Amino acid sequence: MSDPSSSANDYSARFVIETHPVHGRLVRLGETLDQILKAHDYPDVIANLLGEACVLAVLVGASLKFEGRLILQAQGDGAVRYVVADYDTRGGLRGFCRYDEGELDALIAANEGSFQSLGAQTLLGKGTFIMTLDPEDHAERYQGITPIEGESLSLCAEHYFAQSEQVPTQIKLAVSESTTEAGRVWRAAGAMIQAIAGDESRGDTKESFQHIRALFETLGEEELTDFELTADRLLYRLFHEDGVRLSAPKTVFKLCRCSQERVEGLVQSFTEQEQQEMLEADGKVHITCEYCSKTFLVGLQ
């Protein structure tokens, strides 16, 4: 587990619009995302897709009203088989992407010279977007499934909220890479606004949401990933005329659940014959975590 205090650029923070029934969340991932992506030698298009998934998992997961996990997954019949991000409500995040290298190379070559970058639908093809809520108290899991729509995972999530939660939602995601003295560094950010349901005192909140949504649409990707532009300054730019209140940020950090004990338990779940077939030349079973790429060695008794 990474030190949760290791970076001031890895956080989620809730905000509310003071004069309208709208609330939202801002997420920024610096070192945490960089560690997740650099655990694998991902091509840029894959790193961008996984970066979106990680930010989106935090945006939604940090809003949960219980302790547990939010698992976001998109899978399809395209060059990318699936992408997954797993967020723990304590702030831990992990993610990985599985793809066919040959199919991806062909897809990139076919789109060479295009003004548009390869997005979710092009990479994943026809498939599904899944969000799984996994409460820690062993309550029943809840899973929402919608089709993959659009070139950003934000569109998939907006469709999910419209269909499953019936909550007007707008989401913006941005992933970027910069060159520093330490080398190439990945960062990503996202923001989400949602309408608060109307009641007798509030009345219909549709008009309020449309007003805030119009302001939200002016938010640029470069502003989201400009970490020198602090969260409070960014939100003030957008909503200063309506008033905006930002809550204390919650740290996000890289967290993988793999361990020697878990891997040994996994190996023991196979039959004796299967275990023998898994042995490497050194007489041990080698298991590599798909998330963090750490390899565990297990000896058979």
Side-chain angles (χ1 to χ4, degrees), residues 196-215:
I196 298 173
D199 54 25
E200 290 185 1
S201 61
R202 294 192 190 98
D204 187 0
T205 62
K206 182 178 180 180
E207 187 175 333
S208 282
F209 184 72
Q210 292 303 323
H211 168 72
I212 298 301
R213 181 178 180 178
L215 298 174

Side-chain angles (χ1 to χ4, degrees), residues 40-247:
H40 303 267
D41 187 21
Y42 287 127
D44 288 353
V45 292
I46 300 297
N48 274 280
L49 181 65
L50 181 53
E52 280 194 358
C54 287
V55 173
L56 188 53
V58 180
L59 276 173
V60 180
S63 303
L64 298 180
K65 304 301 182 184
F66 57 81
E67 294 296 333
R69 296 160 60 197
L70 182 288
I71 304 161
L72 182 150
Q73 182 173 333
Q75 58 190 39
D77 60 4
V80 174
R81 301 303 191 247
Y82 61 86
V83 58
V84 59
D86 181 346
Y87 175 76
D88 183 296
T89 51
R90 293 178 179 83
L93 176 68
R94 62 179 183 169
F96 79 96
C97 188
R98 178 170 292 175
Y99 61 97
D100 183 283
E101 188 172 347
E103 290 183 27
L104 180 65
D105 288 343
L107 185 63
I108 293 173
N111 285 270
E112 189 174 0
S114 172
F115 292 105
Q116 292 184 332
S117 59
L118 300 180
Q121 196 164 49
T122 301
L123 291 169
L124 289 155
K126 185 178 181 180
T128 54
F129 175 82
I130 306 166
M131 283 205 282
T132 303
L133 310 183
D134 186 13
E136 194 174 86
D137 60 4
H138 305 294
E140 186 176 353
R141 273 187 168 198
Y142 171 78
Q143 191 171 80
I145 303 175
T146 59
I148 294 173
E149 296 186 354
E151 290 301 314
S152 172
L153 291 178
S154 61
L155 296 174
C156 298
E158 289 171 6
H159 184 65
Y160 165 85
F161 280 109
Q163 184 181 73
S164 303
E165 306 291 332
Q166 297 183 339
V167 177
T169 302
Q170 190 80 5
I171 297 171
K172 280 183 175 284
L173 304 173
V175 182
S176 69
E177 185 187 29
S178 58
T179 302
T180 67
E181 294 181 357
R184 300 170 71 191
V185 176
W186 286 96
R187 59 179 51 173
M192 175 174 69
I193 55 170
Q194 291 184 310
I196 298 173
D199 54 25
E200 290 185 1
S201 61
R202 294 192 190 98
D204 187 0
T205 62
K206 182 178 180 180
E207 187 175 333
S208 282
F209 184 72
Q210 292 303 323
H211 168 72
I212 298 301
R213 181 178 180 178
L215 298 174
F216 187 73
E217 283 292 338
T218 66
L219 176 60
E221 292 185 4
E222 67 284 353
E223 291 178 291
L224 275 171
T225 55
D226 178 6
F227 288 6
E228 293 186 5
L229 179 61
T230 60
D232 54 349
R233 287 170 53 208
L234 174 63
L235 293 173
Y236 180 80
R237 278 187 181 183
L238 292 172
F239 308 121
H240 63 278
E241 292 184 355
D242 297 285
V244 58
R245 185 171 69 254
L246 180 69
S247 299

Side-chain angles (χ1 to χ4, degrees), residues 255-272:
L255 170 68
C256 196
R257 294 180 175 80
C258 64
S259 68
Q260 185 71 33
E261 182 180 3
R262 289 194 176 196
V263 171
E264 289 176 358
L266 173 64
V267 173
Q268 292 301 317
S269 69
F270 291 93
T271 66
E272 185 174 341

